Amino acid sequence: MSLFTHAALNWLCIILQERFGLCFNLQPNQQGLILTLSEHEQGSIFFPRLENRFHQCRSALPFTEWNATAERWESVCGDSLPAPGVASLPKPLIERRADQAIVHYDILGLTYWMLSRLEEVGRTDLDNHQRFPATSSHAYQHGYLERPIVDEWLHILGQVIRQIWPQLPLKKHQFSIKVSHDVDTPSRYGFRSVKGIVRSMAGDVLKRRDIKSALVAPWIRLNNRHRLHPLDTFNTFDWIMEQSERNGLVSAFYFICGRTDPAKDADYEPEHPAIGELMQRIHARGHEIGLHPSYKTFQQPEAIAAEADRLRSIMMKESIKQSILGGRMHYLRWEHPTTLKGWEQAGMTYDSSLSYADLPGFRSGTCYEYPAFNPETQEQYKLRIRPLIAMECTVMAERYMGLGTGEAAYAKFQQLKESCRAVNGCFTLLWHNSQFESKEEMVLYQRLLA
């Protein structure tokens, strides 16, 4: 008897259709699941070994690996594939009988468990920002966080599909890069209070030994009424857009439109004339504007919807029209599936929050965008999930990996980028506009876009 609901099977069929470009049917029977095409196409793929563990909200799953190369299958990220959910696998893993293939690993269960983020539902082992940390995940504990294992296993499934239906062409995907920028602080000084300016100037002199910045701070603050000041070190927006345009990319800038925690949220109001002018400039150059819901909204779906409406109102006032509206949660705060409901309720096109703050990698096991699914209610949403692979401070900052801005950081980013390339997926990178204060940071960013 199938462990999947009818809704989950339909969702998996859509994921497979998006990946391979074919319309599949998934039929349960007493032994497992049968994957077929239309009634006019002969052949099937049978999954007799469905794992109950892939339908449980926990990380304590067994683990093994499968040597695909040894069994004459192409593995794109190494000879062996991580195989969560089981302690051992039979040999051969994939059998061929007439016009049917039998796959003795629950690839569809793995896909469901990873993409639905069922592992994260109801978790209490959270960090100081109430986030589910990478270190609590099965992927980290078993060493595959930096591998797109869903994409790797679907690549194996694609080879099986080609054997069963050799006459049908499969959809081809191309590697791509998407860059986005959370606008936490569009100006270093422009929106600060008098007390905040004085504190910043003291920090410039005493901590950073940057007397020049301290001297220009009051001038920037006074001349920020209609446009961000060009001397402001956080005003890197034109430079960011220039780098994207040189590489044929579109930058997405996500703005905070609420203040649920004054200590953690932005010091600007999105209706400010200088922010309106910035949005107009971004739009005029063909880049994207999106939402960065404020700190406490991750547990308040109605607050996410209200802030999305506020952004839409501002964009309407500025005569900015976009066919899509996406974004990312502030501090990557995510309570599953509460936060997901908020994005759906807000009518957003996509969310790109699903990465860990403490470590980079493939939180959902994929670098492909996919339709959102609520594992609690078994509902497929209109919302799309756009996995985030790396945030700059996760790799560079001392409080996380601490790799700095040199070759060690470049190597880590590049490793993740090449893993995305291996599966013809999308390397999605978050880099804050305020994180370009040194030449080393700027050079590192330029190298990653090349």
Side-chain angles (χ1 to χ4, degrees), residues 64-138:
T64 189
E65 293 184 331
W66 174 57
N67 193 322
T69 305
E71 296 191 24
R72 300 179 182 274
W73 297 92
E74 181 190 48
S75 178
V76 289
C77 294
D79 290 338
S80 294
L81 271 74
V86 294
S88 62
L89 289 168
K91 293 182 181 180
L93 186 71
I94 302 169
E95 298 181 87
R96 180 74 183 272
R97 297 177 185 173
D99 61 351
Q100 184 180 72
I102 303 172
V103 181
H104 295 285
Y105 178 61
D106 191 2
I107 298 175
L108 300 177
L110 171 69
T111 301
Y112 171 78
W113 188 69
M114 290 295 296
L115 298 192
S116 74
R117 300 314 301 137
L118 182 61
E119 178 185 14
E120 300 184 27
V121 174
R123 297 300 288 255
T124 57
D125 48 342
L126 309 176
D127 69 8
N128 61 326
H129 291 290
Q130 296 175 277
R131 301 173 297 200
F132 178 63
T135 50
S136 292
S137 70
H138 188 274

Side-chain angles (χ1 to χ4, degrees), residues 24 50 71 126 180 183 195 207 210 238 256 319 332 335 380 388 413 437:
F24 294 96
L50 302 186
E71 296 191 24
L126 309 176
S180 53
V183 186
K195 185 178 179 180
K207 292 182 180 180
D210 187 354
D238 287 327
I256 295 179
S319 300
L332 300 182
E335 181 181 89
Q380 180 181 321
L388 172 63
F413 283 120
E437 293 194 274

Side-chain angles (χ1 to χ4, degrees), residues 283-300:
H283 181 66
R285 291 180 67 159
H287 298 276
E288 182 189 334
I289 293 163
L291 181 67
H292 197 39
S294 58
Y295 185 76
K296 291 184 178 179
T297 59
F298 79 118
Q299 294 176 323
Q300 305 170 16

Side-chain angles (χ1 to χ4, degrees), residues 110-373:
L110 171 69
T111 301
Y112 171 78
W113 188 69
M114 290 295 296
L115 298 192
S116 74
R117 300 314 301 137
L118 182 61
E119 178 185 14
E120 300 184 27
V121 174
R123 297 300 288 255
T124 57
D125 48 342
L126 309 176
D127 69 8
N128 61 326
H129 291 290
Q130 296 175 277
R131 301 173 297 200
F132 178 63
T135 50
S136 292
S137 70
H138 188 274
Y140 171 78
Q141 293 165 7
H142 293 277
Y144 63 89
L145 178 58
E146 294 184 0
R147 293 184 62 169
I149 65 163
V150 170
D151 302 329
E152 292 184 60
W153 277 106
L154 290 183
H155 179 76
I156 297 294
L157 181 57
Q159 295 171 61
V160 179
I161 291 170
R162 279 195 293 269
Q163 284 195 6
I164 300 300
W165 299 288
Q167 73 279 12
L168 299 177
L170 299 187
K171 183 177 181 178
K172 293 183 179 180
H173 299 271
Q174 291 187 331
F175 169 72
S176 61
I177 298 175
K178 288 189 183 296
V179 289
S180 53
H181 319 276
D182 296 348
V183 186
D184 299 341
T185 47
S187 171
R188 186 171 182 178
Y189 310 108
F191 303 102
R192 296 280 181 92
S193 64
V194 174
K195 185 178 179 180
I197 285 285
V198 172
R199 190 182 298 116
S200 294
M201 292 171 67
D204 288 337
V205 175
L206 300 176
K207 292 182 180 180
R208 292 176 284 274
R209 306 297 180 188
D210 187 354
I211 297 174
K212 179 181 177 182
S213 292
L215 291 174
V216 300
W219 179 254
I220 291 173
R221 178 65 179 84
L222 291 170
N223 291 273
N224 196 57
R225 293 184 181 89
H226 303 290
R227 187 184 178 101
L228 298 179
H229 199 283
L231 294 180
D232 196 312
T233 56
F234 287 1
N235 181 14
T236 57
F237 299 97
D238 287 327
W239 185 86
I240 289 171
M241 289 187 283
E242 183 179 317
Q243 305 314 308
S244 287
E245 290 157 8
R246 284 181 178 178
N247 291 279
L249 304 175
V250 172
S251 274
F253 298 90
Y254 304 145
F255 290 86
I256 295 179
C257 293
R259 199 167 293 179
T260 51
D261 188 319
K264 298 289 196 302
D265 288 323
D267 60 2
Y268 68 91
E269 298 295 340
E271 292 87 357
H272 191 284
I275 300 300
E277 191 279 335
L278 172 60
M279 289 184 180
Q280 287 185 352
R281 200 155 19 107
I282 290 168
H283 181 66
R285 291 180 67 159
H287 298 276
E288 182 189 334
I289 293 163
L291 181 67
H292 197 39
S294 58
Y295 185 76
K296 291 184 178 179
T297 59
F298 79 118
Q299 294 176 323
Q300 305 170 16
E302 67 287 349
I304 295 175
E307 293 185 10
D309 287 343
R310 185 180 180 186
L311 178 60
R312 290 188 179 99
S313 177
I314 293 167
M315 292 172 68
M316 185 180 297
K317 179 184 175 183
E318 300 293 342
S319 300
I320 295 172
K321 295 181 180 180
Q322 287 184 179
S323 59
I324 62 172
L325 190 63
R328 176 181 299 114
M329 295 303 296
H330 197 26
Y331 279 73
L332 300 182
R333 298 186 96 196
W334 184 274
E335 181 181 89
H336 196 46
T338 309
T339 313
L340 189 72
K341 293 177 186 176
W343 284 88
E344 178 73 5
Q345 186 175 322
M348 303 298 283
T349 311
Y350 72 86
D351 171 79
S352 189
S353 302
L354 282 180
S355 184
Y356 296 113
D358 50 334
L359 290 168
F362 301 88
R363 182 169 176 172
S364 299
T366 183
C367 51
Y368 279 77
E369 190 174 298
Y370 62 93
F373 188 82

